[in-house]
Amino acid sequence: SYELTQPPSVSVSPGQTARITCSGDALPKQYAYWYQQKPGQAPVLVIYKDSARPSGIPERFSGSSSGTTVTLTISGVQAEDEADYYCQSADSSGTSVVFGGGAKLTVL
Amino acid sequence: QVQLVQSGAEVKKPGASVKVSCKASGYTFTSYGISWVRQAPGQGLEWMGWITPYNGNTNYAQKLQGRVTMTTDTSTSTAYMELRSLRSDDTAVYYCAKTTYYYDSSIGAFDIWGQGTMVTVSS
């Protein structure tokens, strides 16, 4: 079955830039979506269609795509950004949704 | 405001069934999809499937085919997810999510989530 691969953890200091990657063979032809999940809370959509930002999401969150890898970038990381981040996309047929394993962002 | 409110926690025995509800408000229910996602304790997100309330079309994760049924009641703007033949590894928080489709994307964005429903399967 299709898989999306994320690093288990990413650590940055406040004010620095965090980059969380997500790799998958179908990403060149399927859009990626990113979700933030804080402990005990439901996920929140932070990026859709690779790089679009929903209303209400801070401008420091951005997304990009290059080949089989998509990247969520958080510029000027704040303590409140500490959370798990999940990428999501579809398999090559476009019929099955897949989530990455999640990356825990730690703000040092 | 747009929100999804799910039914309360459930405790079930192995082999039983569970039906979780998800009541939508603040938007036109039939203009968007409803997706279901679950999360086992300490684990990641797992997509279960989606339903299009407008016509009742469904798309289930292959892993759950035959055990899951998703339905909607458009008169009350409520979606339902029923999971049968429960096993201990079905213990998880179950989420519904409003799904916005795009003409140029195979899948939609899960842009509003319910608060989650904890389902515990234990003898």
Side-chain angles (χ1 to χ4, degrees):
Chain A
S1 62
Y2 182 55
E3 293 183 351
L4 295 173
T5 301
Q6 299 182 242
S9 62
V10 174
S11 300
V12 295
S13 299
Q16 298 300 304
T17 296
R19 294 180 179 84
I20 301 172
T21 59
C22 173
S23 300
D25 290 341
L27 287 175
K29 57 183 289 190
Q30 301 290 353
Y31 282 120
Y33 300 76
W34 289 92
Y35 300 87
Q36 175 195 69
Q37 186 181 33
K38 296 181 179 179
Q41 298 183 19
V44 172
L45 176 71
V46 294
I47 294 290
Y48 66 97
K49 290 177 60 177
D50 286 352
S51 59
R53 193 173 54 249
S55 61
I57 300 301
E59 290 184 8
R60 64 180 182 273
F61 287 87
S62 63
S64 61
S65 176
S66 179
T68 58
T69 299
V70 293
T71 302
L72 172 69
T73 300
I74 310 171
S75 304
V77 166
Q78 301 181 6
E80 67 195 51
D81 299 330
E82 188 164 281
D84 293 326
Y85 290 85
Y86 294 90
C87 61
Q88 174 207 40
S89 188
D91 64 4
S92 57
S93 70
T95 58
S96 184
V97 174
V98 179
F99 285 97
K104 180 176 181 58
L105 175 66
T106 299
V107 182
L108 300 171
Chain B
Q1 73 282 21
V2 176
Q3 64 176 349
L4 300 174
V5 178
Q6 299 184 220
S7 49
E10 304 263 13
V11 179
K12 297 292 184 180
K13 293 191 181 302
S17 299
V18 68
K19 191 170 187 176
V20 179
S21 67
C22 169
K23 183 170 176 59
S25 61
Y27 71 97
T28 301
F29 184 62
T30 51
S31 295
Y32 300 87
I34 292 288
S35 299
W36 290 88
V37 175
R38 69 180 180 178
Q39 186 171 37
Q43 302 301 310
L45 303 174
E46 179 185 11
W47 175 72
M48 300 179 67
W50 72 52
I51 184 167
T52 303
Y54 173 75
N55 56 18
N57 284 353
T58 56
N59 180 20
Y60 301 139
Q62 188 172 10
K63 173 183 177 181
L64 298 173
Q65 288 272 5
R67 284 208 301 139
V68 68
T69 301
M70 296 174 188
T71 57
T72 59
D73 181 345
T74 56
S75 68
T76 60
S77 298
T78 303
Y80 300 92
M81 185 284 300
E82 181 180 34
L83 189 61
R84 300 176 293 279
S85 301
L86 289 168
R87 309 185 290 246
S88 58
D89 63 356
D90 291 318
T91 294
V93 175
Y94 289 74
Y95 294 101
C96 61
K98 170 179 166 285
T99 302
T100 296
Y101 300 112
Y102 304 96
Y103 74 93
D104 59 345
S105 179
S106 299
I107 64 174
F110 299 2
D111 50 17
I112 299 293
W113 293 62
Q115 83 276 20
T117 297
M118 181 71 211
V119 175
T120 302
V121 182
S122 174
S123 54

